Amino acid sequence: MTNPFFLLLGLVAPVVAAAQTIHSPNHKLALTFAVSPAGEPTYQLAYGSKPVLKPSRLGVAVQGQPGFAQGLTVVRLDSSRHDDTWTPVWGETKTIRNHYQELAVTLQQAAPAGHRMVLRFRLFDDGLGFRYEWPQQAGFSYFVVSGERTEFNLPADHKAFWIPGDYDSNEYAYTTSRLSAVDTAPIAPIQERAAPQRVQTPLMLKADNGLYVNIHEAALVNYPAMMLHVDTRTFGLRSELVPDAVGNFAYLQAPEHTPWRTVVVADNAPAILASKLILNLNEPSTIAEPGWIKPQKFVGVWWEMQTGKAGWNYADTANTKLASTDWNKLKPSGRHGANTANVKRYIDFAAAHHIPGVLVEGWNVGWEDWVNNWKEDVFDFVTPYPDFAVEELRSYAAARGVNIIMHHETSGSATNYERRQTEAYRFMNDHGYTSVKTGYVGKIIPRGEHHDGQWMVNHYVRTAQKTAARHLMVDMHESVRPTGLHRTYPNWLACEAARGNEFNAFSEGNAPEHETILPFTRLMGGPMDYTPGIFKLTGYEPTGQRRVHTTLAKQLALYVTLYSPLQMAADLPENYNQHLDAFKFIEDVPVDWDETRILAAEPGDYLTTVRRAKGKDEWYLGSITDENSRTQPVRLDFLTPGQRYEATIYADGKGADWQRNPASYQITKKFVTSKSALTLKLAAGGGAAVSFKPVGR
Ligand code: NOJ
Ligand code: CA
């Protein structure tokens, strides 16, 4: 539907258009597009009377050509309205409304090149998306992007929740600072500033005038990830693309387009978390019959390696540096976690508690010398260690209704993985595996490529496609952070791509505020395999001081506050067996939902979320706080009126405190209706989880 008012056809002689303004469907957001006297495209964004973005330039530089950053004229403007509702394969809500006003601006370079680029803006009630598009055209086909100049010029020195702009890792603790202090604010000890003033997206911002702004991207395909350079004096942000091994950014061929640049805006923090803008800007699912895709919980032979009780490797490498292929020349270490008997122990626990998946890491040969060694061929993904009985375990698990989750650590050698994927996925089909966790620890081979560059971005997408073709679900670790592609590839259940719970095992850990920031940053792009559910919270080696920085009740709340269709119950069976009453919440909590409401939220401080289970009138609530204790009132008016529910409240216990008494919890039950209210007492670093199950009237 094109509004003829906007159709400004100048196909023969280009014309410069005056500024064009469009409004979001509810008229709160206004986007104004203009071209500067130098022929630079610019845009600005306002929320009512409040500026969100001051005039900001747009443009893309092209190697050896005039490019699309200046000297441009508008030759066509099209505006249209879109409104439909779609159903995700899984997710936080049953349906999603996709409602926006679109403005497409066709820009043309000066003669003699005269090539065209379209800037497409979509303005939703919850924010803005825009991208650069190159239509098919004579004389402009293959090109190299040598820079992108997308500016987000902020009107003031907002508070920012950020991680450094590292091209290879997003596993950082968040720093909270004003934009003006991004280059000077102290950051967590084990970290380095990848480059002064460069930060990653999703970038969460809070303005003093009450606006919340989140900047990220949607549908990152065939292009590098966007980082942001922060001008600490003007509060201007500028896109900085992740380069490839020779310093270029993207190799494209028209017709092609960039990912969407996204600016989610709201006047309250919960509305940021409720935004579906990034999903709406992704393409619909490519999987016509997704019945084989199953959101699920899993346990795993994993935390025992993270905490040093067991190893991934089979052979004893204590005093030996050996080739990974020579592992069988050494004696067994006796500490190999992925041995058949141990795996059966996890299968038994999973079966007893209706957990469908058991991840097993360290099952395949190669772990004796696997990381940062520049070796291409560390793993073949099909050869088990001698104490891991593939078929015996498959039938043992199947008889108990459990599925083993495959693990493919690539040790950064993506080329090796690409060569072996067909065989590896056939092995999975042949042996009954339906899900795979991949990983990219270490430097990327091909050498010089970055985890977040165009080459790897395409590798992750190819991996989603190749696994889909074999009806396999995939969870990627050390990948680029997600941008909503799980809409298009719903078999791509989750990524890690941020600092997970595991950092509590192998470093000074995650501060209590960490999980209150993640939903506003990393999770804006998609689900995270955070691995919650640690019940043994203290006393980890080597110092004995390593610990989880939450209470036990907060670990339960994370199953609701950190959405993922794939949730690990990460602790060991022996630790769960000591708290089976608390484990009941993990057993009950779903991973797929019909409805989600954010009841209270503030990045860095607290979050309370309630969700209704898929196809059921059961609700689950998670409430978490940072290092400060809090009282969180909750009105239960989300419950079905007239229906009674049994609420089971898993709360911080007497004297609970993440530092001094993290394992203190109490479980109480009461009958409630939509007219009831609860007052949740959250300890410092604490939380609460509640299940609401309907009972007869
Ligand atoms: C890092 C991953 O995040 C972790 O989950 C995994 O256990 C190790 N790599 C080994 O692959
Ligand atoms: Ca990791």
Side-chain angles (χ1 to χ4, degrees):
M1 179 181 57
T2 300
N3 179 342
F5 176 77
F6 275 98
L7 195 62
L8 209 158
L9 268 179
L11 293 174
V12 186
V15 293
V16 178
Q20 296 289 325
T21 298
I22 58 168
H23 290 93
S24 59
N26 67 2
H27 273 262
K28 278 197 181 156
L29 281 170
L31 165 84
T32 300
F33 171 82
V35 177
S36 78
E40 302 159 311
T42 70
Y43 73 117
Q44 57 184 304
L45 185 65
Y47 183 94
S49 59
K50 297 176 178 175
V52 178
L53 298 173
K54 297 192 301 183
S56 304
R57 286 177 299 187
L58 298 168
V60 174
V62 175
Q63 196 177 74
Q65 298 193 37
F68 300 91
Q70 64 266 313
L72 301 172
T73 42
V74 174
V75 293
R76 183 180 171 120
L77 289 164
D78 294 285
S79 182
S80 59
R81 178 68 71 97
H82 182 99
D83 190 3
D84 73 345
T85 297
W86 56 281
T87 305
V89 172
W90 44 260
E92 296 177 273
T93 57
K94 190 174 183 180
T95 57
I96 294 176
R97 186 175 181 192
N98 184 22
H99 190 196
Y100 59 82
Q101 182 72 35
E102 178 168 294
L103 175 66
V105 183
T106 305
L107 296 153
Q108 186 165 27
Q109 297 166 333
H115 301 140
R116 292 184 175 199
M117 177 180 80
V118 176
L119 257 169
R120 190 176 302 279
F121 298 94
R122 289 188 179 165
L123 192 56
F124 301 77
D125 289 344
D126 50 347
L128 171 68
F130 61 90
R131 71 181 185 188
Y132 304 93
E133 302 179 353
W134 293 276
Q136 188 137 16
Q137 52 194 298
F140 187 74
S141 169
Y142 169 76
F143 62 105
V144 179
V145 172
S146 54
E148 181 186 311
R149 186 214 275 164
T150 301
E151 295 176 348
F152 306 87
N153 290 331
L154 299 159
D157 191 9
H158 298 340
K159 186 176 177 185
F161 301 84
W162 57 272
I163 57 174
D166 187 330
Y167 299 151
D168 287 289
S169 175
N170 29 44
E171 302 191 7
Y172 287 94
Y174 291 91
T175 300
T176 305
S177 79
R178 294 278 171 177
L179 285 167
S180 57
V182 155
D183 54 348
T184 53
I187 57 175
I190 62 157
Q191 313 189 36
E192 283 172 31
R193 260 189 193 80
Q197 296 173 254
R198 189 169 71 223
V199 301
Q200 300 198 33
T201 72
L203 176 66
M204 187 65 219
L205 300 162
K206 184 181 177 184
D208 291 340
N209 66 7
L211 287 187
Y212 294 79
V213 179
N214 184 281
I215 299 177
H216 188 38
E217 60 182 312
L220 172 59
V221 177
N222 197 29
Y223 205 73
M226 176 180 72
M227 311 256 156
L228 295 171
H229 177 271
V230 182
D231 186 321
T232 51
R233 290 166 304 111
T234 64
F235 326 125
L237 312 179
R238 195 186 64 232
S239 61
E240 256 187 36
L241 303 177
V242 176
D244 75 352
V246 295
N248 293 326
F249 299 108
Y251 302 85
L252 303 181
Q253 187 165 5
E256 187 52 290
H257 54 76
T258 66
W260 297 93
R261 277 67 189 91
T262 61
V263 186
V264 177
V265 189
D267 62 4
N268 65 90
I272 296 283
L273 301 183
S275 171
K276 294 286 173 279
L277 183 146
I278 287 173
L279 276 177
N280 275 327
L281 289 169
N282 273 272
E283 297 299 319
S285 173
T286 51
I287 299 173
E289 286 175 23
W292 51 273
I293 298 173
K294 306 253 189 269
Q296 58 182 288
K297 285 173 281 188
F298 66 105
V299 294
V301 182
W302 180 74
W303 188 244
E304 58 180 274
M305 280 91 90
Q306 295 291 349
T307 52
K309 182 186 164 203
W312 282 268
N313 53 306
Y314 169 82
D316 188 355
T317 56
N319 301 307
T320 326
K321 183 89 180 138
L322 82 171
S324 49
T325 44
D326 286 344
W327 59 274
N328 53 357
K329 297 191 181 132
L330 291 179
K331 66 175 180 14
S333 70
R335 297 177 64 250
H336 182 219
N339 68 75
T340 301
N342 197 33
V343 174
K344 284 185 177 172
R345 204 166 67 85
Y346 282 79
I347 294 172
D348 291 343
F349 181 84
H353 297 284
H354 312 105
I355 306 269
V358 176
L359 169 72
V360 184
E361 295 200 3
W363 70 278
N364 59 325
V365 303
W367 290 91
E368 280 68 27
D369 173 23
W370 68 281
V371 68
N372 270 338
N373 53 16
W374 283 128
K375 284 184 192 151
E376 283 212 29
D377 269 341
V378 174
F379 295 107
D380 70 9
F381 313 102
V382 293
T383 310
Y385 280 126
D387 59 346
F388 180 84
V390 174
E391 272 306 308
E392 181 185 338
L393 284 168
R394 174 208 187 153
S395 45
Y396 188 88
R400 287 156 184 80
V402 171
N403 204 274
I404 299 181
I405 298 177
M406 171 54 74
H407 184 228
H408 290 163
E409 172 56 64
T410 67
S411 64
S413 182
T415 38
N416 177 47
Y417 192 39
E418 293 239 353
R419 279 196 295 270
R420 296 177 183 276
Q421 270 170 320
T422 304
E423 204 190 336
Y425 299 152
R426 190 178 302 132
F427 180 92
M428 286 180 62
N429 286 158
D430 290 349
H431 296 284
Y433 294 84
T434 58
S435 318
V436 57
K437 167 179 169 180
T438 64
Y440 299 88
V441 173
K443 293 194 165 70
I444 295 295
I445 297 175
R447 290 181 188 215
E449 296 302 335
H450 291 292
H451 283 76
D452 294 357
Q454 183 190 25
W455 197 92
M456 282 303 287
V457 161
N458 287 341
H459 168 79
Y460 307 129
V461 173
R462 277 196 295 273
T463 297
Q465 293 166 335
K466 288 179 189 173
T467 46
R470 291 245 169 213
H471 285 199
L472 301 172
M473 293 167 272
V474 62
D475 165 26
M476 299 184 197
H477 279 228
E478 293 84 44
S479 69
V480 69
R481 74 283 186 279
T483 57
L485 285 166
H486 54 289
R487 176 179 178 186
T488 314
Y489 305 107
N491 66 311
W492 191 350
L493 292 184
C495 291
E496 180 191 44
R499 194 176 167 97
N501 220 6
E502 65 184 25
F503 270 78
N504 288 307
F506 55 63
S507 75
E508 85 289 355
N510 299 341
E513 67 170 14
H514 187 61
E515 297 94 347
T516 70
I517 301 175
L518 280 173
F520 288 96
T521 49
R522 161 66 182 76
L523 272 76
M524 290 297 291
M528 176 172 179
D529 182 16
Y530 186 70
T531 71
I534 301 301
F535 281 11
K536 181 188 177 309
L537 298 151
T538 58
Y540 288 113
E541 297 305 337
T543 57
Q545 302 301 311
R546 286 193 183 157
R547 55 171 306 150
V548 174
H549 294 64
T550 74
T551 63
L552 190 148
K554 183 170 173 180
Q555 289 291 311
L556 299 180
L558 297 178
Y559 288 88
V560 183
T561 59
L562 293 177
Y563 172 65
S564 179
L566 186 73
Q567 289 279 28
M568 187 170 200
D571 210 337
L572 314 179
E574 55 268 41
N575 296 336
Y576 286 140
N577 282 333
Q578 293 185 22
H579 303 283
L580 284 177
D581 55 352
F583 191 77
K584 181 76 170 73
F585 184 80
I586 300 180
E587 199 171 322
D588 286 353
V589 68
V591 283
D592 195 11
W593 310 93
D594 273 345
E595 207 178 328
T596 288
R597 297 194 200 182
I598 312 297
L599 302 183
E602 191 56 44
D605 296 337
Y606 56 85
L607 172 59
T608 300
T609 304
V610 67
R611 306 187 196 267
R612 183 163 62 80
K614 177 116 277 169
K616 285 188 194 165
D617 188 23
E618 268 179 28
W619 292 79
Y620 291 82
L621 181 146
S623 183
I624 60 170
T625 179
D626 60 3
E627 68 283 2
N628 300 305
S629 61
R630 269 170 229 280
T631 301
Q632 178 64 57
V634 181
R635 284 169 46 206
L636 304 185
D637 53 4
F638 50 84
L639 296 173
T640 306
Q643 174 66 52
R644 279 176 87 226
Y645 297 80
E646 183 181 55
T648 306
I649 304 162
Y650 303 76
D652 289 322
K654 223 173 167 251
D657 174 299
W658 76 270
Q659 274 173 298
R660 289 185 299 276
N661 193 8
S664 167
Y665 63 92
Q666 60 185 24
I667 302 172
T668 50
K669 288 180 188 279
K670 59 161 95 165
F671 291 107
V672 297
T673 70
S674 63
K675 297 203 172 104
S676 314
L678 296 179
T679 303
L680 301 172
K681 292 222 165 24
L682 313 178
V690 188
S691 63
F692 300 93
K693 297 187 185 180
V695 289
R697 293 181 193 209

